[in-house]
Amino acid sequence: QVHLAESGGGSVQAGGSLRLSCAASGFAYAYSDYLMGWFRQASGKEREGVAAIASDATTSYIDSVKGRFTISRDNAKNTLYLQMNSLKPEDTAIYYCARARGGLIRGPSRRLPDYKFWGQGTQVTVSS
């Protein structure tokens, strides 16, 4: 079965950095074939798509993290990453790794309905 496992969360001061990782397994086809994304959900807020990376390595980011976060993938290791720099208190949330639904999805979509499989989440807390 599909399994996604996030790691790398923690507590940091504003301006600090964290690197999240997501180990993927159980895919029917090659990991490199799938659209992958990072989502986050702050307490009392809706889940939002932070970043996505398509099979052709094109990326998409929510406006609030552009220039600070970088999504990448290592297809040889079946691993997804999110490098987070210049962290702000408003970045505090549970961060989830996700894989898109089967079938062709064009472009690095960050839409919730395009994703089917989710990790358990990892907490990121940024203090001021």
Side-chain angles (χ1 to χ4, degrees):
Q1 70 280 10
V2 173
H3 185 250
L4 303 173
E6 304 96 335
S7 61
S11 298
V12 298
Q13 295 180 357
S17 297
L18 286 172
R19 189 194 194 204
L20 305 184
S21 298
C22 172
S25 63
F27 292 8
Y29 304 103
Y31 164 80
S32 58
D33 292 340
Y34 295 94
L35 169 67
M36 301 291 296
W38 287 99
F39 292 73
R40 68 186 180 188
Q41 188 164 22
S43 180
K45 303 295 191 297
E46 294 183 353
R47 189 171 298 190
E48 63 181 0
V50 176
I53 184 165
S55 60
D56 65 356
T58 56
T59 59
S60 175
Y61 299 91
I62 193 169
D63 286 346
S64 60
V65 310
K66 289 179 179 177
R68 300 189 297 121
F69 291 10
T70 303
I71 188 170
S72 62
R73 62 195 300 166
D74 186 335
N75 292 333
K77 296 181 178 180
N78 290 359
T79 302
L80 182 72
Y81 302 99
L82 185 68
Q83 179 67 46
M84 304 185 294
N85 298 326
S86 302
L87 283 162
K88 304 175 180 179
E90 50 263 47
D91 295 319
T92 295
I94 300 174
Y95 284 71
Y96 298 90
C97 171
R99 196 207 85 182
R101 297 181 177 276
L104 180 62
I105 300 174
R106 293 183 175 86
S109 171
R110 293 181 289 103
R111 297 174 64 251
L112 266 173
D114 288 336
Y115 290 81
K116 183 177 182 179
F117 299 101
W118 299 84
Q120 292 296 301
T122 185
Q123 177 70 47
V124 171
T125 302
V126 185
S127 61
S128 59

